[in-house]
């Protein structure tokens, strides 16, 4: 019994490399499995429905991610404030923040779903999509949109399970949601002739599993640090949560908008094949970046707790170890992307030689972005954990909006299609420089 209690990791513990990785591993895995939703849909749609439907999924997914990304804003901003409150010893107040946050995000999700259904077709048409591709985008989106409230809650709880000291439980629920999605995809698309509609249904059901089960857990007496109580609106706390989590919201919205811009540029330079090739790159990008985001999300409550408790030596140690972990991830992901380029391309584009060749060439350039992406993501997440939402938002907005927009608009004028593939590499490198500057400049203020 004593040994079991010793194995439990608390936010107040000292974190060596092993403990840090153990604590963040569930959050990393949760984000990866959530990213696999689109990958699973893409695999079945590409191989069983066709290239136009596959292109439609890749085109509409960024639009849907813009809406569900509100969950990361609530989760990261709320998790930071709740962890800081727990670090100060006020568990009752932490539960009050937590309960209000869940209620507000659920209502917000319902509003977004209604607006999304109303504006879906005009938005997709505005992006230049026409004909069968437009109809497939709208058909897929109309099925997913009613599940947006659950998707927002799922993203939110993925952050808050770590804050509650139960990252492992969050992982189990995310695994259940992911396997639900995969099994239903196989049933509805590969076995039953439901096509694109079946893929959308599978994703929506998976999101409901991931968003509703946590509510049932936290609504009952449990062994975590948090429990849902009677929600009371606190405008000041909500403003702080939204401000602090705005960097993650900005990062995800910007990434989705950039994906839309990439798709528009690729339609211009390479047609539907370009959008399909970019879709394969994005599947790898979602999974690899989910690893960095998951690490930052998983570590955030630890950073917030120790900062709130004034444990600055531990804060310094966490920063040093985190940079070492991110560096190791960067090398591993770069090498993996090169090794996996051909098998992944064959999985999604093996039926078309021209599309396969384009995808492999794109991989050879795009892979270099994985060497840099993690540092800016961690830098932004680090300042979110310190409740410095402004600095976090600046890093995210420069990384995901300013640098990427400039690169994807300017580089194709010089290098054509290769300029589009290289734009992410250039943008991520510039973002590393910005994150490093802020980490150096804020050192004395936060004592890390």
């Amino acid at each position: 019994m004593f040994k079991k209690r010793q194995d439990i990791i608390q936010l107040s513990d000292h974190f060596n490399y092993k403990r840090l990785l153990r604590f963040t591993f569930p959050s990393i895995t949760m984000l990866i499995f959530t990213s696999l939703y689109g990958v699973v849909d893409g695999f079945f749609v590409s191989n069983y429905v066709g290239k136009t439907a596959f292109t439609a999924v890749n085109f509409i997914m960024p639009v849907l991610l813009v809406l569900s990304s509100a969950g990361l804003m609530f989760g990261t901003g709320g998790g930071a404030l709740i962890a800081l409150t727990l670090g100060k010893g006020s568990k009752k107040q932490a539960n009050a923040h937590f309960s209000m946050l869940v209620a507000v995000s659920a209502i917000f999700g319902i509003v977004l779903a209604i607006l999304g259904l109303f504006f879906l077709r005009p938005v997709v048409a505005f992006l230049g999509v026409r004909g069968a591709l437009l109809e497939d985008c709208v058909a897929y989106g109309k099925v997913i949109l009613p599940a947006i409230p659950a998707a927002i809650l799922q993203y939110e709880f993925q952050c808050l399970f770590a804050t509650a000291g139960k990252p492992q439980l969050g992982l189990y629920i995310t695994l259940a949601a992911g396997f639900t999605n995969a099994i239903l995809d196989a049933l509805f698309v590969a076995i039953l002739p439901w096509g694109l509609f079946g893929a959308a249904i599978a994703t929506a059901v998976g999101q409901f599993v991931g968003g509703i089960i946590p509510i049932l857990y936290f609504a009952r007496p449990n062994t975590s640090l948090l429990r849902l109580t009677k929600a009371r609106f606190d405008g000041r706390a909500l403003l702080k949560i939204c401000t602090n989590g705005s960097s993650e919201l900005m990062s995800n919205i910007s990434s989705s908008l950039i994906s839309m811009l990439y798709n528009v540029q690729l339609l211009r330079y390479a047609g539907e094949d370009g959008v399909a090739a970019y879709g394969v790159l994005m599947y790898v990008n979602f999974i690899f970046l989910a690893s960095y985001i998951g690490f930052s999300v998983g570590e955030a409550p630890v950073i917030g707790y120790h900062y709130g408790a004034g444990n600055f030596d531990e804060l310094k140690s966490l920063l040093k170890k985190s940079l070492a972990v991110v560096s190791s991830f960067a090398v591993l992901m770069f090498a993996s992307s090169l090794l996996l380029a051909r098998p992944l391309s064959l999985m999604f584009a093996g039926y078309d030689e021209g599309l396969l060749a384009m995808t492999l060439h794109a991989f050879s350039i795009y892979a270099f972005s994985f060497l840099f992406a993690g540092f800016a993501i961690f830098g932004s997440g680090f300042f979110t954990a310190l409740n410095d939402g402004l600095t976090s938002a600046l890093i995210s907005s420069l990384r995901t909006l300013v640098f990427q927009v400039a690169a994807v608009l300017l580089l194709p004028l010089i290098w054509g299609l290769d300029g589009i593939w290289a734009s992410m590499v250039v943008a991520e490198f510039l973002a590393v420089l910005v994150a490093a500057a802020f980490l150096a400049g804020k050192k004395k203020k936060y004592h890390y």
Side-chain angles (χ1 to χ4, degrees):
M1 181 70 177
F2 178 77
K3 183 176 181 181
K4 183 177 180 180
R5 289 182 61 85
Q6 287 291 93
D7 288 341
I8 298 174
I9 301 175
Q10 305 290 338
L11 294 180
S12 56
D13 289 348
H14 166 68
F15 281 75
N16 54 26
Y17 282 105
K18 181 179 179 181
R19 185 165 291 175
L20 180 61
L21 289 172
R22 277 183 58 202
F23 190 81
T24 57
F25 177 76
S27 296
I28 295 171
T29 309
M30 278 192 291
L31 267 295
I32 289 175
F33 263 81
T34 304
S35 300
L36 285 173
Y37 285 162
V39 178
V40 172
D41 277 4
F43 171 77
F44 282 102
V45 170
S46 177
N47 286 278
Y48 291 94
V49 186
K51 186 164 66 175
T52 298
F54 178 55
T55 302
V57 172
N58 294 326
F59 210 101
I60 194 61
M61 191 58 69
V63 178
L64 301 173
L65 288 175
V66 167
L67 303 181
S68 58
S69 62
L72 278 178
M73 176 186 72
F74 290 129
T76 55
L81 179 60
I82 293 167
L84 186 71
T85 306
L86 289 171
K88 293 178 178 179
S90 182
K91 186 173 182 179
K92 183 178 180 180
Q93 187 63 45
N95 280 326
H97 291 329
F98 173 62
S99 302
M100 177 197 66
L101 183 62
V102 172
V104 169
S105 57
I107 295 170
F108 187 69
I110 293 170
V111 173
L112 283 182
I114 294 171
L115 292 174
L117 287 167
F118 185 77
F119 288 106
L120 178 62
R121 181 178 290 273
V123 168
V124 177
F126 174 77
L127 293 174
V129 181
R130 299 289 184 271
L133 184 59
L134 172 63
E135 297 306 318
D136 281 349
C137 286
V138 172
Y140 186 84
K142 281 185 175 179
V143 178
I144 297 291
L145 280 167
I148 287 297
I152 288 174
L153 288 170
Q154 181 179 12
Y155 278 118
E156 179 179 310
F157 282 121
Q158 285 172 345
C159 305
L160 295 177
F161 267 116
T163 308
K166 293 288 184 178
Q168 200 72 32
L169 180 58
L171 170 59
Y172 296 150
I173 293 173
T174 302
L175 289 175
F179 283 123
T180 298
N181 182 35
I183 292 170
L184 293 181
D185 258 322
L187 175 63
F188 294 157
V189 182
I191 298 176
L192 299 175
W194 288 12
L196 197 61
F197 174 78
I201 286 288
T203 296
V205 173
Q207 289 173 341
F208 274 110
V209 170
I212 302 304
I213 291 179
I215 292 180
L216 301 178
Y217 172 78
F218 285 113
R220 299 168 57 85
N222 61 75
T223 57
S224 78
L225 297 175
L226 299 173
R227 184 184 174 187
L228 288 171
T229 58
K230 185 177 180 180
R232 294 183 178 179
F233 185 75
D234 184 339
R236 178 178 292 183
L238 183 61
L239 179 61
K240 187 171 183 61
I241 287 169
C242 294
T243 302
N244 196 36
S246 63
S247 58
E248 280 67 29
L249 176 66
M250 176 62 70
S251 177
N252 281 272
I253 289 179
S254 299
S255 295
S256 297
L257 292 174
I258 293 302
S259 293
M260 296 178 205
L261 181 57
Y262 267 83
N263 286 330
V264 170
Q265 287 284 75
L266 285 164
L267 275 177
R268 181 185 304 167
Y269 281 88
E272 286 190 16
D273 278 5
V275 177
Y278 179 65
V280 180
L281 295 182
M282 283 302 95
Y283 292 151
V284 178
N285 189 63
F286 289 155
I287 295 170
F288 283 6
L289 295 195
S291 302
Y292 291 127
I293 296 170
F295 177 76
S296 298
V297 165
E299 189 188 24
V302 181
I303 293 170
Y305 183 94
H306 285 287
Y307 178 65
N311 299 330
F312 299 124
D313 286 340
E314 183 66 18
L315 200 59
K316 294 176 184 177
S317 174
L318 284 167
L319 177 59
K320 180 180 178 181
K321 290 180 174 63
S322 298
L323 291 174
V325 169
V326 171
S327 298
S328 301
F329 279 13
V331 174
L332 177 62
M333 290 178 189
F334 172 67
S336 298
S337 64
L338 294 178
L339 291 172
L340 295 174
R342 176 165 286 277
L344 286 173
S345 298
L346 286 170
M347 183 184 300
F348 291 96
Y351 56 85
D352 188 312
E353 290 186 7
L355 177 58
L356 176 62
M358 181 183 292
T359 306
L360 287 171
H361 178 68
F363 258 114
S364 69
I365 300 172
Y366 196 92
F368 286 91
S369 68
F370 298 125
L371 289 172
F372 310 116
F375 294 99
I377 290 172
F378 168 75
S380 177
F382 183 74
F383 285 109
T384 296
L386 294 174
N387 283 261
D388 187 347
L390 178 60
T391 301
S392 179
L394 283 172
I395 295 173
S396 282
S397 59
L398 287 171
R399 170 184 169 261
T400 57
L401 191 59
V402 177
F403 295 151
Q404 290 187 26
V405 167
V408 78
L409 290 177
L410 296 176
L411 293 184
L413 300 177
I414 304 171
W415 295 318
L417 183 59
D418 282 353
I420 297 179
W421 308 133
S423 59
M424 187 67 75
V425 182
V426 174
E428 296 288 15
F429 175 73
L430 293 174
V432 171
L433 300 181
V434 171
F438 276 116
L439 285 170
K442 298 274 187 173
K443 183 176 180 180
K444 290 184 179 179
K445 179 177 180 179
Y446 294 110
H447 309 288
Y448 52 73

